[in-house]
Amino acid sequence: MTLRIEIRPRNPRAPRAILTGATQLGIDALEDCRVVRLYFLESDIGDPALEILSARLLTDPVTETAHWTRTEHAHADDRRNPRSASGADNRLSVETNGANGHTGPVVEVTLRPGVTDVAARELERGVVELGLPATRVASGTRYELYGALRESQVRRLATQLLSNQTVQHFRLGEITPQFGEEAAAANLVERVALAGLDGDALLQLSKARLLSLDVNEMTAIQEFYAQIGRDPTDVELETLAQTWSEHCVHKTFRAEIQYTRLDAQGQPVEETTVDGLFSQYIRAATEAIGAPWLRSVFTDNAGIVAFDDTHDLAFKVETHNHPSALEPFGGANTGMGGVVRDILGVSARPIATTDVLCFGPQDFPNDQLPEGVLHPARIAAGVVDGIADYGNKLGLPTVNGAVLYDSGYLGNPLVFCGCVGILPHGSHPTTPQPEDLIIVLGGRTGRDGLHGATFSSAELTHDTAETTGSAVQIGDPITEKGLIELVEAARDRELYSAITDCGAGGLSSAVGEMGSELGADVELTRVALKYPGLVPWEIWLSEAQERLVLAVPAIKLAELQTLARLWDVEVSVLGRFTGDGMLRVNYDGTVVAELPMTFVHDGLPRRHMTAVWQTPDDDAAVPPIDQQVAARAISLQSLGNGDPAVQSAPDQRHFGALLLRLLAHPTVASKEAIVRRYDHEVRGGTLVRPFTGPHMDGPTDAAVLKPLNTWRHDKAFALSVGINPLLGRRDPYAMAISAIDEAFRNAVAVGADPDQVAILDNFCWGNPTLPDRLGGLVRACQGCYDGALAYGAPYISGKDSLYNEFNGEPIPGTLLISALAMVPDMHRCVTSAWKAAGNALYVLGETRAEFGGSLLYAVLDAEGGTPPAMPSVPLLRYRAVHEAMRAGLVQSCHDASEGGLAVALAEMALGGRLGATIQLGGRQDSSVEPLTWLFAESNGRLVLEVRPEDVDAFEAHFVGVSLYRIGTVADTSQLTIAQADATLIDLPVRQLTAAWQRRDEPVG
C-alpha cells in the first residue's frame, strides 16, 4: 500500500517560466498549467496521522490544500523499467486525474533512484519528530496541462521543459514512486589489466572508464604497476585518475609551455619557455608584491587575509560549469554548497556569497538549438533557482556578482560561485598528526557526483548527459547549515588538527591530500551510505555533497560527537593517519587499494605543451566613427523608435537611440529579477547593497559588508568583480588588464582602500591541448602578472576550469577577477546614484578611441578595434579618489565599463532619478570624436559627484591626476550631453530607466 499526497494551491497560477518555455519550444497550444507538489509514503500511517502531517508540515492552510489516496499496485511498465526517463511505454493521460478532477494531459515527475531527495528526507525526519509512524518517503511534481495539445507536444514538454532526464524520470499520467535503490551491499573489486597495452589501447581504456588521462599519464601508471608486479585495482586506478585530473592538480598551469607570439602577418615576435603558468605569473606576482596583510595564499581551500587585529577574512570563488550545463539547478546548487564548504575548510564562518553567471542568448531559436543542449533560458532559470535555494536556506546573503549573455556560452554556460568567511586570527589548524582519526562529518555517500573531477576535465558533447549523468550532484543545504554551526563550535574548542572539504574526487581527494605526508588507513564499510549496493570505488570516489573530512585526536572524539548530536550532524570514523606514507583502503577488512603517497601525489609526469598566439589584424577593424556606424545603430529594430535606417551624419537621435540600445542590452540591463531572488540582507551586515537610489533600483559597483561581532571599530570590507569575455576574443592580455582594473575600480568606487585589495583569478577556457587555445591562456596570464604588479593587488586564491567546449567549439576565453578590499570607514561608503541637483560632475581618467572588445562593437556587429590599454599610474588616481572619499568630498561614484561613459551617466541618473547637463571636452582635446566620448571603454575611469562647496578641496586631491569637470546634476529629469555646440543626447530619465529595466517606452 502506497499513500499519495497532493498539495495544491487554493488560487493556482500558471508559472510564467512554463508558459514562456512552451512558447520557446514552439508549442503555442499550451494555455495553462497547474503545478501540484506530490509526496509518496511507502507505509499507510492512517488518516489521523495524515491530518496532523498535512496541517503541521505539508501545507499552509491559508493558501494550500492536501488530498491523499491509496494505491495498491505499481504500473507494469514502471516495474519493468523504473529508471526510464523517456516515458516511451506510457500513453497520453487524458482521463480524470487528481483531486480537482482535471481532465486533460498530465505529466508527473520524480527523481531517479539514488538522486538526493531533500524534500523527502526532511519529511521523513518530520514524521518521526511528530511522533508518527516512521516510513520511507519520495517526492515529485505533477503538471496538469490545459489546451489542445497533441501527444507529441506533451512528450516534448515533458522531456525538454518539465523534467531533466539526467536526474529525473517522468510519466504521462500518474507515476509510481521509487523509494530508494534496493540492492545488496557489494564488495566487488576489479583488477584492470594494463600489461602489454600500447598507447592507443591505454587511451581507449582511459576514455572507456572516464579517467581523462592522456597517454603519458596512462603509461606512467602502467610502468609503476609493472615495477611492483601486479595490475591496479579499480579503486587504485580511479584514485590516480581523480588525483591527477586537471580539476584537482591543475596540470596545464604546472606544465612547461613553449610559447610563440606572432604578429598580424604571422611572423614570430616573442618566443619563450613558460615554466608553469601558475608559478611564473600568478604566484610570482603575489610574491613580488609581498603584502604584509596576507595570512595564507594558494595552500588551502581558500585564501586568507587580515581584517583587523583579531579576525581574518577567507575568500574563494569556484566554478561549476559542466554540471550546470546538464542539470542547471543541481549544478549551481552544489556549486554554491561546494564553495561554502571551501570556507568551512579553512575553519571560517561563511558570511556572504557572490555569483557571476554567463549564459547563451535567452531568446535563442529553439529549432536552431544543437542536439543535447538545454535551452539557455532553461539553464538560466535553473541556475538562478539553484543559487537562491542554497544561499537562502543557509541564511547567507548573496551580495555581489554579474550576469552576462553571449552566444559563445550556448552549449557551455559558466557558473562562478564565491563565498567569504570570517575566522579568529590563528584559529585554523592545518597539520594532521600520526594516529589522528579520519572523521567524516555531514551528508551520506551515494552515487551522485561519480567521476565529477575527471568529467570536468573533458569537453562536453551532445551525448554527455547520457554518458556522465552520474557526475551531477544534488545539494542539501539543510545538512550544510548544521555543518556550519558544528565546525565553528569545534574550531573554538580546538577539537581537530586539520580540516578540508570533501569535494572533487570525494574521500579519495580529501583523505589523500590531508594524509599526503603521513599516509592513511581507511575502512570503507564505516562510510555512512544513502542506500546499499555501492561498490568500493564508488564509495571512495563519490562526490556526494555536504561532507567534510577532519583529522581528530582520539581523545577529542567524544566531545566532537556530542557537539554533532546537538546540530544533528552524522559522524563517521573511517580510520587513522598512520605515519608510514602509504594509502591503504580496505573494504570489510580486505585491502582494495594500497599505494605509496609519493606516487599518488608526485608520480604525475609533467606536461610539455605548445602554445601559439597571433595578434589580430587591426587593418580589418571597422572605423568607430563614420556615417554608416550611426546608420547601423539606428537601423536596429530593438532601438524602439521605429525610424527607418538613416544615411546621414550622427545626430542626437542616433546617439540617444544607441544609448537606449546599450542600456537594454541583456548584459547591461537591470538584473533585479534575478537579484531579488537572493536574500542580500540576511545577517544584517550589508551596507552597500546590489541596488541604490530613492527607488532602490539603481546599480551599485560593489557590495560592502560589516561582519557581526566586529562593531568595536568602523572597518568593513568590499566585494567586487571584473569580467569582459568580449575583450577576451580580441586580446586576452587586454582582457586581464581590464578585468583587474574593473574589479579594482568597482571596489574603490564604494570606499575601499586601493592599498588593501586582494584579488582572485578564475580562468574558464577551452581545450588547452590545442596550441591556439593555450596561446590565449598564456597571453591572459601575462596580463594577470602585469596587472597585479601595476595595481599592487596580490592573488590569494583562484581556480582554472578548462575544456569548456561543446562539440569542439570553445567558449570565449573568460577570466573573472574577484576583489576583496578593506573599507577603513563604513561611514564613508559611497554609492552610484546622483544625490542632489546642483552638484558638480567629474570624470577621472582619459577617454581614448578604444573600441576593441567593446559592447558598442558587439551591438553593431563590428570587428577589430584597439582594445583598452593599461591606464597610466592607476594607483595614483585611485588613491586620490580614496582620499577624497575619506574626507567626505564625494557624494556618488560610478565606474565606466560596458557601454562607456554614456551608459555610466545614464545609470547614475536612473539610480538617483535626477538629470544632468553634461558638456564633454573641456580641458581634454575637444577633437575627440563624439562616439569615442560616449561609448569607448577605456580603463581607469570613474564618474564622481561633488557638492559645490567641496569643489576646491576636491580638486586639490587630484593634482597631477587626469580629472575633468564635465557638468552638473540637474533637477530637470533630463540627461543632456553635448560637445562644443552640438547636443549629442537629450533623453528623459524615465526613458533611460525604462530601457534599462527593459520596459516598452517610446523614444522621444
Side-chain angles (χ1 to χ4, degrees), residues 244-489:
W244 294 5
S245 68
E246 186 74 73
H247 183 90
C248 290
V249 79
H250 313 290
K251 46 198 174 187
T252 295
F253 269 70
R254 298 186 180 196
E256 181 183 273
I257 300 171
Q258 298 301 318
Y259 171 65
T260 301
R261 181 165 62 91
L262 308 175
D263 63 17
Q265 289 70 46
Q267 297 301 310
V269 294
E270 178 186 358
E271 293 181 301
T272 187
T273 299
V274 179
D275 188 17
L277 292 171
F278 173 70
S279 60
Q280 186 162 326
Y281 297 122
I282 306 302
R283 181 189 290 277
T286 295
E287 292 176 347
I289 293 167
W293 36 268
L294 299 183
R295 295 288 188 247
S296 174
V297 296
F298 306 131
T299 59
D300 217 323
N301 288 275
I304 304 176
V305 301
F307 176 60
D308 58 22
D309 293 340
T310 58
H311 288 87
D312 297 335
L313 294 174
F315 193 24
K316 178 65 176 290
V317 178
E318 276 278 8
T319 54
H320 232 220
N321 306 332
H322 286 24
S324 298
L326 299 186
E327 209 300 285
F329 178 91
N333 198 246
T334 54
M336 187 60 72
V339 78
V340 168
R341 289 195 306 279
D342 280 328
I343 297 303
L344 291 176
V346 294
S347 303
R349 170 95 191 195
I351 57 175
T353 62
T354 67
D355 67 288
V356 174
L357 313 173
C358 302
F359 301 127
Q362 299 297 281
D363 57 355
F364 192 85
N366 203 278
D367 58 0
Q368 298 178 28
L369 203 63
E371 180 185 357
V373 172
L374 296 175
H375 193 278
R378 184 176 179 191
I379 291 176
V383 166
V384 171
D385 284 348
I387 292 171
D389 176 84
Y390 216 101
N392 291 354
K393 286 180 179 176
L394 283 184
L396 292 177
T398 302
V399 295
N400 184 246
V403 187
L404 296 85
Y405 301 93
D406 189 279
S407 59
Y409 302 117
L410 182 65
N412 200 132
L414 303 184
V415 177
F416 300 89
C417 299
C419 186
V420 62
I422 191 166
L423 68 159
H425 177 59
S427 64
H428 173 47
T430 60
T431 308
Q433 300 298 316
E435 302 304 318
D436 275 356
L437 300 177
I438 301 171
I439 304 295
V440 176
L441 299 179
R444 293 194 164 211
T445 298
R447 289 195 173 90
D448 39 353
L450 289 175
H451 285 131
T454 54
F455 161 61
S456 64
S457 304
E459 296 180 25
L460 296 177
T461 65
H462 63 278
D463 63 350
T464 297
E466 296 297 324
T467 59
T468 60
S470 65
V472 177
Q473 311 136 42
I474 300 296
D476 182 1
I478 304 303
T479 294
E480 189 139 310
K481 183 65 169 70
L483 278 178
I484 292 174
E485 306 301 335
L486 173 58
V487 168
E488 184 174 36

Side-chain angles (χ1 to χ4, degrees), residues 966-986:
I966 60 170
T968 305
V969 180
D971 59 4
T972 60
S973 297
Q974 194 86 1
L975 178 63
T976 303
I977 304 177
Q979 183 181 21
D981 296 328
T983 298
L984 305 178
I985 291 172
D986 190 17

Side-chain angles (χ1 to χ4, degrees), residues 23 88 146 191 253 307 344 407 417 465 485 514 536 602 655 664 675 682-683 695 865 915:
T23 301
Y146 294 79
R191 292 282 178 176
F253 269 70
F307 176 60
L344 291 176
S407 59
C417 299
E485 306 301 335
M514 188 177 288
D602 302 324
F655 292 126
V675 174
V682 66
R683 295 184 61 83
H695 294 263

Side-chain angles (χ1 to χ4, degrees), residues 849-916:
E850 295 174 319
F851 287 94
S854 67
L855 187 67
L856 174 73
Y857 270 29
V859 166
L860 300 182
D861 197 26
E863 298 179 353
T866 302
M870 177 95 74
S872 60
V873 290
L875 271 181
L876 179 63
R877 68 178 64 180
Y878 292 138
R879 284 169 179 157
V881 170
H882 184 62
E883 290 169 2
M885 288 181 174
R886 292 294 300 274
L889 303 178
V890 178
Q891 302 306 304
S892 71
C893 182
H894 192 34
D895 86 313
S897 52
E898 294 97 346
L901 184 61
V903 168
L905 291 168
E907 289 176 339
M908 298 179 84
L910 68 90
R913 295 302 197 274
L914 291 168

Side-chain angles (χ1 to χ4, degrees), residues 693-712:
H695 294 263
M696 288 302 293
D697 59 358
T700 55
D701 293 289
V704 178
L705 295 102
K706 176 64 172 175
L708 296 177
N709 302 319
T710 65
W711 291 99
R712 62 182 180 81

Side-chain angles (χ1 to χ4, degrees), residues 2 15 25 48 72 106 120 189 311 321 356 402 451 546 578 581 671 680 897 915 917 976 1003:
T2 299
L25 290 172
E72 291 286 352
V106 169
V189 177
H311 288 87
N321 306 332
V356 174
H451 285 131
E546 289 75 45
T578 59
K671 308 303 186 301
H680 51 268
S897 52
T917 301
T976 303
V1003 174

